[in-house]
């Protein structure tokens, strides 16, 4: 019989990853779902049918599970959730943290969880929500080798398409890779947005740039180009919320400063994300960097 698994946190990424977990992992018992906003858990459970069950409380989600996945939006949310878990009997349980937090946060939580007789694995993922829905994110795993081995059956081939395996290393190392890896995403969005703005301003038009990107850079860059050109970045609810993007940028800048390095493209992105937040509020999306670049060029934020 497979372990009883709980999934805590059902934002855009959490919904996609948990869906693939129940549909591909052949669980013998329903996945336990918990979300601070109960209606979100109930709505997600309805899409999964008998494959999932909603926990009435955070305590029951943790107590009834052997493996607890968490997917939350901030360091404070992760810390408060695991602080609560530490108030319960957790000996023998395995906590798998998929959220993007500071490396120091992951290392500190791992130490406390281990001292309480449980295990902790960091498993941040690379990929946007549509990639989580499709099960093609890349999983980064770090923690004790035996604990990582227990998580692998649910990673590559289930939640994601591949693993970057840091077995035996401190869980903070997975977050170090994740935070620095995110800087490439910021650079990609900045380059793409600026290129589209320049194409419009010079009269070339964005269509040819999009065609060029689709042919030479299929994958995430093509996906972001679509979101920008179609206007998803302002027309729909955010896939990459601006507050989460700014949190990730802040982690990267703090790491670089602490190491005596600079990340100029992230400094640039943080300024544009601040403009997105001011213009769109909580509805702002990371792809809204394109809108901020449009404003700098004398265009409207929206590409109507």
């Amino acid at each position: 019989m497979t372990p009883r698994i709980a999934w805590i946190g059902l934002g855009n990424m959490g919904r996609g990853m948990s869906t693939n977990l129940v549909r591909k992992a052949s669980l013998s018992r329903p996945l336990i779902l918990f979300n601070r906003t109960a209606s979100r858990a109930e709505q997600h459970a309805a899409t999964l049918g008998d494959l999932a069950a909603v926990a009435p409380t955070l305590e029951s989600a943790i107590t009834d599970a052997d493996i607890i996945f968490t997917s939350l939006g901030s360091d404070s949310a992760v810390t408060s959730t695991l602080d609560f878990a530490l108030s319960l009997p957790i000996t023998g349980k395995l906590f798998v943290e998929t959220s993007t937090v500071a490396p120091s946060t992951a290392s500190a939580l791992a130490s406390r969880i281990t001292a309480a007789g449980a295990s902790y694995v960091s498993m941040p993922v690379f990929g946007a929500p549509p990639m989580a829905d499709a099960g093609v994110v890349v999983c980064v795993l770090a923690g004790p080798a035996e604990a990582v081995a227990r998580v692998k059956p649910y990673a590559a081939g289930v939640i994601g398409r591949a693993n970057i395996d840091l077995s035996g290393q401190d869980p903070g190392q997975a977050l170090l890779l994740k935070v620095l890896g995110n800087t490439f995403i910021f650079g990609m969005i900045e380059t793409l947005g600026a290129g589209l703005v320049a194409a419009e301003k010079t009269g070339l038009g964005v269509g040819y740039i999009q065609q060029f990107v689709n042919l030479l850079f299929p994958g995430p860059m093509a996906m972001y180009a679509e979101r920008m050109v179609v206007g998803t970045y302002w027309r729909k609810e955010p896939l990459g919320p601006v507050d989460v993007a700014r949190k990730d940028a802040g982690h990267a800048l703090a790491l670089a400063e602490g190491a005596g390095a600079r990340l100029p493209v992230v400094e640039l992105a943080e300024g544009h994300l601040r403009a997105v937040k001011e213009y769109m509020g909580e509805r702002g999306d990371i792809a809204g960097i394109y809108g901020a670049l449009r404003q700098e060029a004398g265009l409207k934020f929206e590409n109507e």
Side-chain angles (χ1 to χ4, degrees), residues 55-273:
T57 64
L58 178 59
E59 179 177 358
S60 64
I62 295 169
T63 300
D64 294 344
D66 305 302
I67 301 176
I68 300 100
F69 285 83
T70 45
S71 179
L72 303 165
S74 67
D75 290 48
S76 60
V78 170
T79 299
S80 63
T81 298
L82 293 184
D83 278 346
F84 180 78
L86 285 161
S87 71
L88 305 172
I90 58 171
T91 301
K93 295 184 184 294
L94 170 59
F95 291 84
V96 185
E97 183 53 67
T98 71
S99 315
T100 301
V101 297
S104 58
T105 298
S107 297
L109 288 171
S111 179
R112 295 173 62 202
I113 292 291
T114 301
S119 300
Y120 182 102
V121 169
S122 285
M123 196 190 79
V125 301
F126 286 112
M131 296 174 69
D133 293 342
V136 295
V137 294
V138 174
C139 306
V140 185
L141 299 105
E146 63 276 12
V148 171
R150 291 174 62 191
V151 180
K152 283 183 179 179
Y154 311 109
V158 178
I159 289 173
R161 64 180 174 86
N163 295 338
I164 298 177
D165 189 355
L166 281 69
S167 296
Q169 298 194 41
D170 184 277
Q173 291 297 102
L175 274 305
L176 183 57
L177 175 57
K178 168 61 174 171
V179 170
L180 292 179
N182 279 350
T183 69
F184 290 73
I185 306 300
F186 287 124
M188 177 187 70
I189 293 172
E190 283 285 346
T191 299
L192 182 58
L196 288 171
V197 169
E200 183 170 348
K201 294 286 286 188
T202 60
L204 174 66
V206 299
Y208 291 119
I209 291 291
Q210 186 177 20
Q211 184 178 7
F212 157 75
V213 169
N214 289 343
L215 290 171
L216 269 73
F217 305 108
M221 183 173 275
M223 180 195 71
Y224 277 107
E226 177 75 10
R227 289 168 66 183
M228 292 177 185
V229 172
V230 173
T232 303
Y233 71 94
W234 66 271
R235 294 179 188 274
K236 296 185 178 181
E237 291 300 308
L239 290 177
V242 64
D243 289 335
V244 175
R246 294 187 70 192
K247 178 260 296 180
D248 292 348
H251 285 327
L253 292 172
L255 284 173
E257 181 179 1
R262 281 190 61 203
L263 293 167
V265 72
V266 184
E267 296 169 8
L268 183 64
E270 165 55 24
H272 288 140
L273 288 168

